């Protein structure tokens, strides 16, 4: 009983808050012992993480169902199995990624050993967001462990059930001297950010991203900021609009629009808009039947605050083509398409992060490009067109974290592409090897012998005429 009481006290919020500094110092001490540098330790921990995912797939999916009403298919494909695939890819390649990397040498260095040594930063902090609460904590954790760091993971307090199960499972499966999961909200994040870290990996909104970066600046800690913004879609007139509608609506309705790379709004000509609306309506019916609310496949808004925010946004929309209904008791908001939207409308002033899809009629692609360039650099840019030169024009005239031509969200599905933003949508990229690289310091190594001093001595003063006449 005493032991149980002790462990309960140690995991209580008050105890954690009062002992964050001590926890970080103890991680630092463990890091200094070199335990996490050992490749076998890293592989062992990654295998334990794999075991965690395999043995608790259902539990994790259930937590996601309770937090966001994610269907098991979405929870598995976009969260649990998604992490598993990244993890297996990492395990298959880690020895190669972690090995010293030979570099090109000039004549003066023929005798030297020049290479890049991949070293862990040390003790790192991962702060996750609520919308993909398994993926956004586990994916960076994979890279942090793979690179040999000690880690603190702080899941979002908004996805309550997932945060709880992550905290329980990570402490059960992983080496507690090196990897800690601390659940909690703003007070815990604030206390954690006051500590000195060797790397901070943050996912969430841009305003908090600035708070994180300011805290990191105190110790010149490097950061990755995975932020959000409004990801635009352009639909060209030459497309098969039935297919386009499927792909956009799928991207928008996944997790009820609560996806960082969700297609935020569509730009197309008025004529395209008028046909596309009907196609989007058809897609909606095919996906969810006559009543979206009774479909098991459609998620809910994470909490009341976000529900009220989206509801308010909805109330500002003038021409709702379909959708628009909601049910507060379930935090349900119907997929809603709004037409003839203007860039000055309220729905265009913030990231929607919910199931509202505005369509803005534009004259042509030049007007669309002009609007994209005028705004903050988005996390994703989606272009639907069969016209290769039009696609190129979009790519070369704009900047964004990523681009996906003729689909949505799929650019995040392969580990060989870096996932991340630029400008206001963030800095740094991860997934696959990019996560390992994110958490590794690339140490420049030159090892020379003490021989050949006569050649090496050329650089020493005095700088005689013989030396300088070249
Ligand atoms: P959130 O509310 O869960 O916040 C993110 C994290 O920051 C949480 O762990 C939270 O505890 C912490 N936090 C909140 N306020 C804080 C403060 N004042 N000080 C310190 N820490 C604080 O998530 P959110 O911000 O609502 O997430 C949604 C946003 O994140 C959207 O903009 C979305 O586009 C973006 N996002 C980006 C990615 C990406 O990969 N680029 C992924 C998911 C979400």
């Amino acid at each position: 009983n005493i032991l149980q009481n002790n462990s309960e006290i140690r995991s209580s919020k008050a105890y954690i808050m009062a002992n964050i500094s001590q926890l970080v110092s103890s991680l630092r001490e463990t890091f200094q012992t070199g335990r996490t540098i050992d490749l076998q330790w890293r592989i062992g921990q990654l295998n334990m993480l794999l075991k965690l995912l395999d043995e608790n797939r259902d539990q994790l999916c259930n937590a996601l169902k309770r937090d966001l009403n994610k269907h098991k298919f979405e929870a598995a494909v976009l969260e649990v199995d998604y992490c598993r695939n990244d993890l297996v890819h990492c395990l298959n390649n880690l020895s190669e990624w972690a090995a010293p990397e030979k570099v090109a040498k000039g004549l003066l260095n023929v005798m030297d050993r020049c290479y890049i040594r991949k070293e862990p930063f040390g003790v790192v902090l991962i702060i996750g967001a609520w919308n993909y609460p398994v993926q956004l904590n586990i994916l960076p954790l994979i890279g942090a462990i793979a690179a040999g760091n000690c880690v603190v993971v702080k899941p979002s307090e908004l996805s309550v059930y997932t945060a709880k199960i992550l905290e329980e499972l990570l402490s059960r499966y992983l080496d507690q001297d090196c990897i800690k999961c601390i659940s909690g909200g703003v007070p815990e994040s604030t206390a954690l950010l006051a500590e000195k870290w060797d790397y901070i990996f943050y996912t969430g909104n841009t305003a908090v991203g600035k708070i994180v970066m300011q805290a990191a600046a105190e110790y010149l800690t490097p950061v990755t900021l995975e932020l959000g913004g409004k990801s635009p879609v352009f639909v060209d007139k030459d497309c098969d609009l039935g297919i386009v509608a499927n792909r956009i609506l799928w991207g928008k309705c996944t997790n009820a629009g609560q996806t960082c790379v969700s297609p935020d709004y569509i730009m197309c000509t008025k004529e395209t808009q008028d046909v596309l609306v009907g196609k989007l309506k058809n897609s909606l019916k095919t996906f969810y039947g006559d009543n979206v609310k009774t479909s098991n496949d459609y998620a809910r808004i994470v909490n009341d605050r976000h529900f009220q925010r989206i509801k308010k946004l909805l109330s500002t929309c003038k021409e709702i083509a379909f959708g628009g209904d909601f049910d507060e008791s379930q935090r349900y908001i119907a997929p809603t398409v709004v037409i003839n939207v203007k860039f000055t409308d309220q729905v265009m002033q913030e990231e929607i992060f919910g199931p509202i899809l505005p369509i803005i009629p534009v004259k042509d692609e030049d007007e669309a490009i002009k609007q994209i360039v005028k705004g903050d650099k988005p996390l994703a840019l989606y272009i639907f067109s069969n016209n290769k030169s039009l696609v190129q024009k979009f790519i070369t005239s704009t900047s964004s974290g990523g681009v996906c031509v003729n689909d949505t969200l799929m650019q995040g599905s392969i580990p060989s592409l870096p996932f991340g933003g630029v400008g206001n949508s963030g800095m740094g990229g991860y997934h696959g090897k990019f996560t390992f690289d994110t958490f590794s310091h690339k140490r420049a190594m030159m090892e020379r012998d003490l021989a050949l001093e006569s050649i090496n001595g050329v650089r020493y003063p005095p700088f005689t005429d013989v030396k300088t006449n070249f």
Side-chain angles (χ1 to χ4, degrees):
N1 254 350
I2 291 173
L3 275 181
Q4 195 187 336
N5 284 346
N6 276 347
S7 100
E8 270 169 23
I9 290 169
R10 271 200 300 276
S11 57
S12 74
K13 287 273 156 296
Y15 182 89
I16 290 169
M17 284 291 279
N19 290 281
I20 279 178
S21 296
Q22 202 187 324
L23 180 138
V24 179
S25 334
S26 86
L27 289 176
R28 205 166 282 291
E29 273 168 32
T30 314
F31 180 75
Q32 290 307 334
T33 66
R35 192 195 302 187
T36 58
I37 315 254
D38 176 9
L39 200 58
Q40 286 318 308
W41 178 89
R42 305 185 206 178
I43 293 169
Q45 290 302 301
L46 292 174
N47 274 314
M48 285 305 288
L49 197 50
L50 192 60
K51 197 164 141 73
L52 180 160
L53 294 177
D54 286 343
E55 290 180 354
N56 301 280
R57 188 172 184 262
D58 285 348
Q59 275 207 66
L60 288 163
C61 289
N62 288 343
L64 292 164
K65 176 89 189 159
R66 293 182 79 178
D67 279 327
L68 290 143
N69 197 44
K70 284 196 193 201
H71 187 275
K72 190 171 177 186
F73 180 82
E74 220 173 272
V77 174
L78 296 176
E79 298 243 34
V80 188
D81 298 353
Y82 194 94
C83 293
R84 191 185 193 282
N85 291 343
D86 198 271
L87 182 47
V88 170
H89 177 67
C90 178
L91 277 163
N92 288 341
N93 292 285
L94 183 54
S95 314
E96 194 189 308
W97 295 348
E101 204 176 298
K102 279 192 183 163
V103 296
K105 295 190 289 187
L107 211 58
L108 273 176
N109 305 103
V110 196
M111 304 298 284
D112 302 333
R113 288 169 301 285
C114 300
Y115 60 97
I116 299 166
R117 198 179 128 87
K118 321 299 177 44
E119 294 190 345
F121 279 104
V123 184
V124 306
L125 173 64
I126 296 168
I127 301 180
W130 52 266
N131 56 333
Y132 288 82
V134 173
Q135 195 204 117
L136 300 177
N137 291 297
I138 300 293
L139 280 193
L141 179 61
I142 293 168
I145 296 173
N149 297 281
C150 283
V151 195
V152 170
V153 183
K154 212 294 290 167
S156 172
E157 69 281 20
L158 301 199
S159 39
V160 184
Y161 296 101
T162 315
K164 198 160 174 266
I165 190 176
L166 279 180
E167 190 177 25
E168 184 206 318
L169 295 177
L170 292 175
S171 62
R172 180 137 56 88
Y173 282 78
L174 301 182
D175 183 343
Q176 279 302 280
D177 291 339
C178 309
I179 303 155
K180 294 272 187 204
C181 179
I182 296 181
S183 66
V186 179
E188 286 77 10
S189 292
T190 307
L192 285 165
L193 287 171
E195 297 297 321
K196 180 178 178 184
W197 301 93
D198 298 304
Y199 202 95
I200 300 175
F201 189 107
Y202 164 81
T203 307
N205 66 70
T206 303
V208 175
K210 290 178 187 174
I211 296 176
V212 171
M213 199 162 171
Q214 265 165 10
E218 179 68 22
Y219 296 106
L220 290 178
T221 301
V223 290
T224 290
L225 301 177
E226 293 287 341
L227 313 176
K230 289 178 90 63
S231 295
V233 183
F234 178 77
V235 180
D236 195 8
K237 53 184 175 302
D238 74 339
C239 296
D240 178 331
L241 293 179
I243 296 173
V244 171
N246 279 340
R247 295 185 183 188
I248 296 178
L249 198 82
W250 170 73
K252 189 69 177 186
C253 290
T254 296
N255 203 23
Q258 302 164 108
T259 303
C260 56
V261 282
S262 184
D264 192 272
Y265 63 97
I266 299 174
M267 288 176 288
C268 59
T269 62
K270 175 96 175 60
E271 297 72 46
T272 304
Q273 167 188 268
D274 295 344
V275 184
L276 186 60
V277 170
K279 301 287 182 189
L280 286 164
K281 204 170 177 183
N282 290 346
S283 302
L284 188 75
K285 194 169 174 183
T286 317
F287 290 178
Y288 301 108
D290 286 326
N291 186 353
V292 186
K293 198 171 146 189
T294 55
S295 162
N296 280 328
D297 304 340
Y298 185 68
R300 295 294 184 265
I301 305 306
V302 68
N303 65 8
D304 283 337
R305 181 166 60 84
H306 280 280
F307 178 86
Q308 294 302 338
R309 179 185 63 78
I310 301 165
K311 193 178 127 189
K312 199 166 157 207
L313 218 46
L314 204 55
S315 71
T316 68
C317 295
K318 293 170 205 121
E319 274 189 68
I320 292 178
F322 61 86
D325 50 312
F326 52 82
D327 179 346
E328 199 157 339
S329 71
Q330 292 186 15
R331 295 195 305 273
Y332 164 81
I333 296 186
T336 302
V337 170
V338 193
I339 54 171
N340 296 323
V341 174
K342 297 194 177 62
F343 289 104
T344 48
D345 287 354
Q346 188 55 38
V347 76
M348 289 305 295
Q349 308 314 311
E350 61 181 88
E351 179 183 4
I352 296 168
F353 222 55
I356 308 174
L357 182 57
I359 307 183
I360 307 180
V362 289
K363 192 159 68 65
D364 53 19
E365 71 270 19
D366 290 324
E367 190 186 346
I369 290 171
K370 218 167 111 191
Q371 286 299 333
I372 295 169
V373 175
K374 228 165 107 179
D376 291 329
K377 292 178 182 176
L379 190 55
L381 167 63
Y382 301 115
I383 310 147
F384 286 84
S385 177
N386 291 309
N387 179 343
K388 294 217 162 32
S389 64
L390 179 140
V391 170
Q392 278 312 309
K393 192 165 160 188
F394 265 95
I395 295 171
T396 52
S397 326
T398 62
S399 173
S400 64
V403 173
C404 188
V405 177
N406 291 327
D407 212 334
T408 62
L409 313 190
M410 294 303 287
Q411 74 278 18
S413 68
I414 53 168
S416 43
L417 283 177
F419 186 91
V422 58
N424 258 44
S425 56
M427 59 183 74
Y430 74 132
H431 288 192
K433 182 171 185 290
F434 300 102
T435 323
F436 172 85
D437 287 339
T438 291
F439 286 104
S440 300
H441 167 57
K442 282 136 215 98
R443 196 173 186 186
M445 302 295 298
M446 180 185 283
E447 296 177 19
R448 344 188 70 190
D449 292 331
L450 280 169
L452 301 176
E453 184 63 355
S454 54
I455 299 173
N456 275 297
V458 175
R459 69 200 140 122
Y460 304 147
F463 304 123
T464 57
D465 287 348
V466 180
K467 285 182 184 173
T468 52
N469 277 341
F470 53 83

